[in-house]
Every structure is written in structure tokens, then in C-alpha cells.
Amino acid sequence: RAKANGRGTFCVFEPEMDVRAQERRSLEMELRSAFANEELELYYQPLLNVRSRTISTCEALLRWPRAGRGIVSPGEFIPLAEEMGLIVEIGDWTLVQACRQAVQWPQQIRVAVNVSPMHFRRGDIVRSVEAALKDSGLPADRLEIEVTESVLLEQTERTRHALGELAEMGIRISLDDFGTGYSSLAYLQNYPFHKVKIDRSFLSGLDDDPQRLIMLRGVARLSAELGLAVTLEGVERDDQLAIVMADGYVDEVQGFLISCPVPAEKLGRLFASRKEKQAAA
Ligand code: C2E
Ligand code: MG
Ligand code: MG
Ligand code: MG
């Protein structure tokens, strides 16, 4: 423990830390066995194209239903899986499952899969994607890979190469959570992105900070003018939708207003109800 704090620092022993380390170890073991027993699940959240008013994509989002303790969110267990080195295996599984689901959907609907930066570093993402497409029979142009900026911060050449190869295969690449990290607008130009997903913090911050709107509109416009598709995350209310629609730079919206993430079995009904809404509009 003292070692983790670095050389020259003292570490006062606290029993609490021991308990926490134990809890962590047991959580790791639980996650490992949950994954091995195929207990992880994928939920799906639609992205609505605001021009056609149809669902263009569904994003796969991991869930861990933990026996007797409700559902653990990926925000909690993905970082753990990354530290454990389990994320590459989880990522491979996710790709296969998501592609198998997507072949059952109407043809115009794509599936989006989040890929951890560690997958780019430690795994062979190109091979994994090829394997998932082959296994499922899903055409490459119906798969979107979402990466966050953090993937671009390290191992630039390797990452650029992998992203380039994926794009050449016909896969769409999205820059996820744009505006949260070390967002550099240069990334938009230097990598083969098809889509920018503007982080929901822009929208959730609007009420407190009017400047966020200026930023949001600017980022949306810039992305659109660079030829990228623009998705806005975290749309929860009608008035938020109205604000962003005004400029016409946003192509797609995602958020609780449209639908929260749902288990795969519920997608059929969601697709059908969207069609009805569209017919009624
Ligand atoms: P993300 O990729 O940005 O996914 C969107 C997150 O925002 C999801 O959280 C979703 O439930 C949530 N969300 C969607 N609409 C709204 C809204 O209107 N309001 C609010 N407050 N939240 C909304 P979730 O499912 O908890 O996932 C969190 C993050 O975990 C994801 O962020 C993604 O970075 C990561 N993640 C999820 N699944 C995977 C996966 O299979 N692999 C990897 N590597 N990461 C994943
Ligand atoms: Mg995402
Ligand atoms: Mg996102
Ligand atoms: Mg986000």
C-alpha cells in the first residue's frame, strides 16, 4: 500500500483501507464470475434523426445485474474492468452480442458500440470487429464504434492506424462525450470520424450557465461544417430540443426524452411506436 503512494511518502495504516481493498477484491472476483457466467447484459438506447424523425442508431450500453443488489452502472464497473484487464474480453463479447442483435433490426438502423481506449492499446480491435461482423453477418456500414477523446491521447500512431482501418472497412467512427475531456477541435480533423456526440453536460449546464449554449451552438456548427454528423446527448426535455433545433446543425438526439436505454426485448415495441408517431406527425 505504501508503495502505491510512491517513494518517500509515508502511509499511515488505517483499518478502513484494508476493508476497502478487500471489498474491491471481492467485487473484482464477482465481476469476473458474472462475466464468465454471461450475466452481463446489453441495453439499447435509440438515437433519433431529427430530420427524418426515425431511429437511426441504437447504442449498446452494458448493465450488470448484481444478484440481490440491483443493476450496477457501467460508470462503476468499466473502470474496474479496465484495471483488471478484463475490458478487452468484455469488449469482444459486447461487439459480438451487439452485432447479433442488430441483424434482427430493420435494415436502416445501425448499432453503436462503445470501445474502451484500453482495447486499442491492449487488444486487436480491428480483428475483434472483423470477427463480430463475420459471426453475425452484419454489414460493416451498420456498425458504429464510439470512442472518447482519451483514446486519442496516447499511442497516437497505433490508434490512428486502427481507426483508419476500421473506417476503411466501412465502419462509422463516433467521437463520444465531446466537450468533457481535453477536447481539441483538431481531433475532429485529424481522425476519420463520421460523427461527433456532444456530451450531455452542455445541455444539463444550460440552466446555470448561459455561456454553455454559445459553446454548444459553436461546437455543433463547427462539427457540421467539417462534414460530420452531429448527435446531441442527454436531451431530457422538449425545451432543450427546441433550443438546439433552431440552428439546424444537430442531426440526431439521444436522451430520456426519446427513450431511456431498454433491454433488447423491448426494442421491437419501441421501433413500432416510433413508426406510429412518425405516421401521425
Ligand atoms: P456514454 O457512451 O456517453 O453513454 C450515454 C450514457 O448517458 C448512458 O449511461 C445513458 O444511460 C446516459 N443517458 C442517456 N440519455 C440520458 C439523459 O437524457 N439524461 C441523463 N442524465 N443520462 C442519459 P450509462 O449506460 O450509465 O453508461 C455510462 C458510460 O459507460 C457510457 O457513456 C460509456 O462511456 C460507458 N459504457 C457503457 N457501455 C459500455 C460498453 O459496452 N463498453 C465500454 N467500453 N464503455 C461502456
Ligand atoms: Mg457512447
Ligand atoms: Mg456518450
Ligand atoms: Mg456521455
Side-chain angles (χ1 to χ4, degrees):
R1 205 170 295 120
K3 201 173 154 204
N5 280 341
R7 217 179 294 172
T9 57
F10 289 92
C11 178
V12 181
F13 179 78
E14 286 176 60
E16 204 185 290
M17 289 172 68
D18 219 35
V19 172
R20 244 184 280 146
Q22 259 170 25
E23 272 174 7
R24 210 195 119 99
R25 265 195 302 274
S26 84
L27 194 67
E28 284 184 6
M29 269 162 52
E30 237 188 285
L31 178 59
R32 211 179 280 285
S33 84
F35 175 64
N37 297 328
E38 301 232 18
E39 286 167 22
L40 297 187
E41 263 181 66
L42 286 176
Y43 276 40
Y44 294 88
Q45 188 180 33
L47 278 66
L48 184 78
N49 183 302
V50 292
R51 294 185 227 291
S52 64
R53 301 233 132 226
T54 57
I55 295 171
S56 54
T57 308
C58 289
E59 177 175 6
L61 295 160
L62 270 168
R63 296 289 180 267
W64 176 16
R66 205 170 155 219
R69 307 208 209 179
I71 294 179
V72 187
S73 89
E76 278 176 64
F77 70 85
I78 298 262
L80 192 67
E82 286 175 336
E83 285 171 44
M84 292 163 67
L86 191 61
I87 193 67
V88 175
E89 281 173 75
I90 292 182
D92 285 349
W93 178 85
T94 302
L95 274 166
V96 169
Q97 296 303 314
C99 290
R100 284 182 187 171
Q101 272 301 322
V103 281
Q104 303 175 42
W105 302 344
Q107 269 180 29
Q108 69 278 11
I109 302 178
R110 288 188 282 267
V111 66
V113 177
N114 296 281
V115 176
S116 161
M118 193 166 281
H119 211 138
F120 280 84
R121 239 183 299 146
R122 297 263 185 88
D124 185 344
I125 186 65
V126 175
R127 228 211 49 218
S128 297
V129 164
E130 278 169 349
L133 292 178
K134 193 165 173 225
D135 164 275
S136 61
L138 187 77
D141 64 3
R142 286 184 60 199
L143 176 62
E144 298 182 357
I145 295 292
E146 296 194 2
V147 296
T148 55
E149 299 148 329
S150 58
V151 90
L152 310 174
L153 291 178
E154 345 150 12
Q155 303 260 343
T156 353
E157 257 331 298
R158 191 186 160 123
T159 302
R160 192 197 305 276
H161 190 76
L163 289 174
E165 253 185 274
L166 291 174
E168 240 163 70
M169 286 163 63
I171 283 141
R172 287 158 197 258
I173 322 275
S174 306
L175 183 56
D176 201 1
D177 295 346
F178 189 76
T180 46
Y182 301 86
S183 309
S184 161
L185 298 172
Y187 289 147
L188 297 181
Q189 261 194 315
N190 296 344
Y191 289 86
F193 291 115
H194 293 82
K195 181 184 285 187
V196 175
K197 300 185 76 177
I198 301 177
D199 191 68
R200 72 180 154 86
S201 58
F202 281 93
L203 271 190
S204 60
L206 279 190
D207 300 331
D208 302 326
D209 180 3
Q211 300 235 341
R212 294 299 280 175
L213 183 57
I214 299 173
M215 305 261 291
L216 171 56
R217 294 171 71 181
V219 170
R221 175 178 178 166
L222 182 88
S223 307
E225 286 182 346
L226 286 171
L228 295 149
V230 181
T231 303
L232 187 59
E233 300 184 325
V235 178
E236 296 180 356
R237 304 187 317 251
D238 273 320
D239 61 299
Q240 292 175 324
L241 189 58
I243 290 173
V244 297
M245 290 312 295
D247 290 343
Y249 294 118
V250 171
D251 301 294
E252 292 172 331
V253 291
Q254 180 177 11
F256 298 162
L257 181 68
I258 317 302
S259 167
C260 57
V262 299
E265 313 87 76
K266 293 207 175 154
L267 280 176
R269 224 193 299 160
L270 193 80
F271 293 158
S273 80
R274 253 294 135 198
K275 267 208 168 139
E276 275 164 35
K277 273 188 202 164
Q278 198 195 358

